[in-house]
Structure formats: C-alpha cells, structure tokens
Amino acid sequence: MTTLLTTEPLRLGGALLLSGSWLALCLNMWRAHRTSASADAAPADWLVVHASQTGGAEHLAQRSAQLLATGGLAARAVCMSALDRERLAASPRILFVASTYGEGDAPDTAARFAGRLMEAGVDPGLDLSRLHYAVLALGDKCYANYCGFGRALDAWLAQQGATRLFDRIDVDRGDAHALAEWQHHVGRLAGTSDAPDWDAPAYGEWRIVARTLENPGSAGAPLYRIALRPAAGALPAWEAGDLAQVSPPADPDHPREYSIASVPDEGRLELLVRLQQREDGSPGAASGWLCTGAGEADVVRLRLRMHERFRLGDNARRPLVAIGNGSGLAGLRGLLKTRIDAGRHDNWLLFGERNAAHDFLLREELEAWRAKGQLAHLDLAFSRDQDERRYVQDVLRAQAGRLREWVGRGAAIYVCGSLQGMAGGVHEALGAILGASQLDALAVDGRYRRDVY
Ligand SMILES: Cc1cc2nc3c(=O)[nH]c(=O)nc-3n(C[C@H](O)[C@H](O)[C@H](O)COP(=O)(O)OP(=O)(O)OC[C@H]3O[C@@H](n4cnc5c(N)ncnc54)[C@H](O)[C@@H]3O)c2cc1C
Ligand SMILES: Cc1cc2nc3c(=O)[nH]c(=O)nc-3n(C[C@H](O)[C@H](O)[C@H](O)COP(=O)(O)O)c2cc1C
C-alpha cells in the first residue's frame, strides 16, 4: 500500500509527462504540416504580370519574381496576354509591371486585355475583391500621357474591387529611385529587405569603324549606316531583333535605343541611324553624336539589350513577312540575314521610303537577295515617285491575297519603323485584310510582332 501510495504519483507524473510530450509532438507535427502546406500552396500565390513592348517591363517582372522567390515565395512572371478574366478573378496576389506605348496606350502584348476588359469600363460581373495587387508603371515624362496605361490599369483594378498592397509607383525613363522604391516594397512582401539594388547593366566602350551616308540627295534627313566594334576585347553576343542603347555625351543619363542591323557572324555591330534635327536646328543628342559627332578615336558608350519580343524565336520555323520603313529596315535586315544564313528563303519584305533614286537603302544587298531567291518577294513603296502618295500599307492592301495565303501557311509578321504614319497604317491594313480577331490571335501567339518608335 505504502508502495502503492508512493509509486502512484510517480506513475501518474510519468503518464502526464508522456501525454504532454505526445501532445507537444503532435502540436509540432501539426505546425510543421501547416507550414509545408502553406509552402505547397505558394506556387499559385504570386503572379508578376508584365505588359511590355521592348522587354524592359518583362525584365523587371522577372527580377521581381526572383526577389519574391528569395523570400521563399514561389512567384511566376507571366505576360499579360496570358491573363484572362477567370485567372484574374482566381488570383489572390498579383504584381503588375506595365509600360505605356503609342499615345498613352497599352503595349501590343496587353492590347487584348486592355481592349476586352478595361475598355468595357466597370464590369459588375467581375469580382476582384479576392485580389491584392500593386502596379509598377513604366513611362517617359516627355509623352503627354505619362504612364497612361499603368495608371488606367491601377484605376480599373481598384474599381473592380481589388485592394492595393501599396500605391502605384511611376517610373520615368528607368528612374533608379523609383525602381529602388518598388524593390523595397517587393522585398518587404518577400520578407527580405537586404537585397542589393538592381543596377542597370554597365555600358561598354565601343568605337565607330565605318560610317556611310546611305541616302545622299534625299528629300528626308540623312541616314547613316554605322559599324561599331568594342574598343577592346571580343564582340559580345546578340540575336537579330535585339537593341543597342547608346548613352550620348550630351545627355548621358538618358540612353537612346537603336535596332541592330547586323548579326554577330559579320564581326561588327551595325546600326541605321537617321540624323535628327530638332526644331531649333540643332542635331539630336544621340543621332548627332553617332552620325557626325563621334570620330574614329572617340569612345561610344553602348550596351546591348535583349529584345525577346522581336527575336525570331519559334518563328524561325515559319515563313516571314517583314514590313517597315526608313531606319526600321535595320531590325528587319538582322532578321532576314539570320534566316538567309540559315538557308530559309520564305522571306517577304515590304519596305517604304520616299524616292527610289535616293532612299533605296541597302539596295545592292536587297536586290541580290531577291535575284538569288533568298527573298521570295520584295515589294517597295516609294511614296514620292508618283503623283499620288503610296505607302507600304497601300502595297500591303494591293497584296491582300498573298498576305492571306502566307498567313494561312503559318507566316509570322514583323513590323519595324516609325509609329507615326507607318505602324498605325500597317496595323489598319492588316486588320482590314485578316480581320481584327485574327490579327489579335496572331499577336497573342507571337506571330505579329512590332518594334516601332
Ligand atoms: C525601340 C526603338 C528602336 C529604335 N531604333 C532606331 C533605329 O534603328 N534608328 C534610328 O535612327 N532611330 C531609332 N530609334 C529612335 C532613337 O532611339 C532616337 O529617339 C533618335 O535617334 C533621336 O534621338 P536623338 O538623341 O538624336 O534626338 P534628341 O532630340 O536629342 O532626343 C530624342 C528624344 O529623347 C527625349 N529627350 C531628349 N532629351 C531629353 C532629356 N534631357 N530628358 C528627357 N528626355 C529627353 C525626347 O523625347 C526627344 O524627343 C529607336 C527608338 C526606339 C524606342
Ligand atoms: C513609340 C513609343 C511610345 C511611347 N509612349 C509613351 C506614352 O504615351 N507615355 C509614357 O509614359 N511613355 C511612353 N513611352 C515610353 C515607354 O513606356 C518606356 O520607354 C518604357 O520604359 C518601355 O518599357 P518596355 O521596354 O517594357 O516596353 C513610349 C515609348 C515609345 C518608344
């Protein structure tokens, strides 16, 4: 009995201890399960949606997704063309990185989203009250409608009932302070505040090795073919469609973009640069420097910029319809040269300028490609060679049957050159020939791509 009396509390204590440990074990297992369950749910948790024309917003979206990932959140960067009503309504958290094009418009990749969803105004059937979001709006204060698309997107999301994680951040020409602010917010969401600032890639030092005036006697501004090589070291890699950014000495913080006209195998980087004249008669900062200012001994500060959306990508396997005017021939020439070097001859070029006698850029090369069948068709529109003005979009309309046939065979359409006049006119002509919905579908499938400025 005594034994009983003395051993019983011990047993009881032991049992309590055991049950306590068991409970603690269960609690820990439950906690661990909860943590891993929320980690499993994370992949669907964060989207970083980009609306980009020349890749800047896309690049920032990818960096933002990586930053979220460093905090253990699985986030994915996706193009706005992949975002529909259902996905939007089902998403709990989205970061948007949106640039603005045209005159306050959406970039091409976001045109369908903007057209179908935003332009319809407030949609009472679309409940976004589940969604928490933030907008990084890229733009340029030189334009009247600064960050127009990013602002419109932000306002529309709020009207649909979505909740801002933090206020929209507007970025003027890649302003580093605004980007650091965005990075700080995203870092906070990820729970990591110590990531180093995102730096823009450094400029390389290049030298001009050849420069020729391509349109002597032209009624338009002079246009130069300019070849550059790195001042030291090997030529870096790029792909047709990519851009070169030049930092002009007179305005070093504001780089200007140029389409690359050559391919790396040619051993030099070539640009087609139109010498801009400002209203007061002074030359443009970058075009003036490249076309007339910089001498052989001068260093040109330049960096390459991948332009994923204007590369050939999957379209390398499709027939190509290349449409452009003026210096836009630069981007198209790079694409055509790549295809011709790879043995593809299903290339159709439609090119427009003013007068054949002065403005038939790269004439020898284009005529040789045509003669050898490397260009299946070469259609030219010299607007001032006849009484009535005739532009590249008019030639396109005249070739409507062939265009339908090429698109029917799976062709991709690439447009490069001026936004004013050419790109709008070509877009209208394409819409009239193919129908708006087919043109929309081509854009979404990456078979209609534009590098227009
Ligand atoms: C994707 C893309 C591809 C391009 N490809 C080509 C090409 O292949 N060939 C070609 O000739 N051109 C091309 N351009 C145009 C080119 O980038 C320049 O705009 C053009 O050469 C005129 O620049 P500039 O410095 O000579 O003229 P500037 O008159 O000095 O500047 C041109 C513009 O930059 C802005 N700007 C100037 N100074 C400032 C400032 N201090 N602060 C803020 N903004 C300022 C203004 O909007 C001005 O209209 C392309 C443009 C883009 C966007
Ligand atoms: C042809 C053209 C039109 C543009 N229109 C506008 C505009 O209306 N408003 C604006 O704020 N920025 C405008 N921009 C500036 C772009 O939004 C800005 O350069 C942005 O960083 C580009 O991002 P992306 O590389 O993702 O396309 C325009 C740029 C170009 C080349």
Side-chain angles (χ1 to χ4, degrees):
M1 201 55 189
T2 328
T3 328
L4 243 183
L5 277 175
T6 48
T7 54
E8 205 58 5
L10 269 179
R11 274 203 197 149
L12 197 66
L16 277 176
L17 205 70
L18 258 177
S19 337
S21 314
W22 174 246
L23 265 177
L25 191 69
C26 288
L27 195 67
N28 279 341
M29 280 173 67
W30 177 73
R31 275 204 193 118
H33 174 74
R34 238 173 56 120
T35 315
S36 79
S38 63
D40 286 349
D45 255 14
W46 287 91
L47 288 180
V48 188
V49 172
H50 51 83
S52 188
Q53 189 77 30
T54 60
E58 183 173 353
H59 176 70
L60 288 169
Q62 276 154 359
R63 298 202 79 162
S64 305
Q66 280 161 9
L67 183 52
L68 290 172
T70 59
L73 305 165
R76 211 143 42 90
V78 294
C79 178
M80 192 171 260
S81 62
L83 193 66
D84 56 18
R85 236 169 158 268
E86 289 69 34
R87 197 167 182 192
L88 190 60
S91 301
R93 278 174 282 268
I94 306 185
L95 301 182
F96 291 90
V97 186
S99 54
T100 294
Y101 265 79
E103 287 159 17
D105 305 325
D108 288 346
T109 51
R112 196 156 75 156
F113 183 95
R116 292 210 178 148
L117 291 172
M118 291 167 57
E119 272 161 30
V122 181
D123 177 351
L126 179 63
D127 176 14
L128 296 188
S129 55
R130 239 171 85 78
L131 175 65
H132 287 73
Y133 76 98
V135 176
L136 181 69
L138 306 191
D140 181 338
K141 277 192 177 152
C142 295
Y143 290 91
N145 201 345
Y146 174 51
C147 289
F149 178 61
R151 286 166 188 262
L153 174 67
D154 180 37
W156 179 80
L157 290 164
Q159 280 169 0
Q160 291 297 143
T163 309
R164 283 187 193 92
L165 290 160
F166 50 87
D167 283 349
R168 189 191 67 244
I169 296 175
D170 296 341
V171 187
D172 179 26
R173 290 178 151 223
D175 173 52
H177 293 296
L179 289 178
E181 195 188 338
W182 170 262
Q183 196 192 345
H184 167 78
H185 279 292
V186 179
R188 207 170 38 79
L189 294 172
T192 58
S193 53
D194 51 354
D197 275 2
W198 295 335
D199 288 327
Y203 290 101
E205 296 193 335
W206 293 67
R207 288 220 167 81
I208 295 177
V209 293
R211 179 165 58 201
T212 48
L213 177 65
E214 289 290 310
N215 60 349
S218 172
L223 189 140
Y224 289 82
R225 184 173 190 168
I226 298 171
L228 300 113
R229 283 199 49 85
L235 198 65
W238 72 86
E239 270 187 42
D242 287 351
L243 298 164
Q245 281 191 323
V246 172
S247 158
D251 192 11
D253 293 335
H254 292 131
R256 313 288 200 262
E257 317 259 12
Y258 294 93
S259 308
I260 302 176
S262 57
V263 298
D265 279 354
E266 293 177 287
R268 54 206 217 161
L269 181 118
E270 288 192 1
L271 310 175
L272 291 180
V273 181
R274 174 91 63 194
L275 176 58
Q276 300 290 344
Q277 199 176 31
R278 297 186 180 139
E279 272 173 18
D280 65 2
S282 65
S287 62
W289 168 241
L290 289 169
C291 294
T292 56
E296 272 176 28
D298 285 314
V299 163
V300 174
R301 294 178 71 234
L302 181 152
R303 64 186 176 208
L304 303 184
R305 198 151 91 82
M306 191 172 112
H307 190 187
E308 191 67 48
R309 309 229 141 256
F310 207 65
R311 287 181 169 188
L312 284 169
D314 289 348
N315 293 326
R317 288 180 273 114
R318 299 175 172 280
L320 177 78
V321 183
I323 306 171
N325 71 334
S327 59
L329 188 57
L332 301 179
R333 196 253 173 206
L335 299 170
L336 291 168
K337 175 83 176 126
T338 303
R339 291 168 62 88
I340 289 169
D341 287 353
R344 277 212 86 119
H345 296 172
D346 45 358
N347 306 307
W348 173 12
L349 173 65
L350 297 106
F351 174 66
E353 253 290 356
R354 286 185 173 171
N355 299 104
H358 306 288
D359 302 302
F360 192 163
L361 308 175
L362 315 184
R363 177 176 200 152
E364 267 181 38
E365 184 173 48
L366 295 182
E367 286 187 334
W369 282 349
R370 175 72 196 96
K372 289 189 215 152
Q374 292 166 322
L375 272 183
H377 305 285
L378 172 60
D379 285 315
L380 301 161
F382 288 107
S383 57
R384 299 183 183 203
D385 277 358
Q386 58 284 307
D387 291 340
E388 229 172 78
R389 292 282 157 90
R390 192 160 176 267
Y391 299 104
V392 78
Q393 54 268 38
D394 302 317
V395 176
L396 195 59
R397 283 177 196 267
Q399 295 291 355
R402 190 199 288 157
L403 183 79
R404 280 192 211 100
E405 190 226 316
W406 274 57
V407 170
R409 283 200 282 129
I413 302 168
Y414 281 58
V415 182
C416 193
S418 53
L419 184 68
Q420 295 232 309
M422 194 275 298
V426 165
H427 186 76
E428 265 176 39
L430 289 171
I433 297 166
L434 301 172
S437 63
Q438 186 173 12
L439 192 58
D440 245 22
L442 289 176
V444 169
D445 292 347
R447 283 175 58 196
Y448 173 38
R449 302 184 180 210
R450 308 197 302 169
D451 179 8
V452 293
Y453 44 88

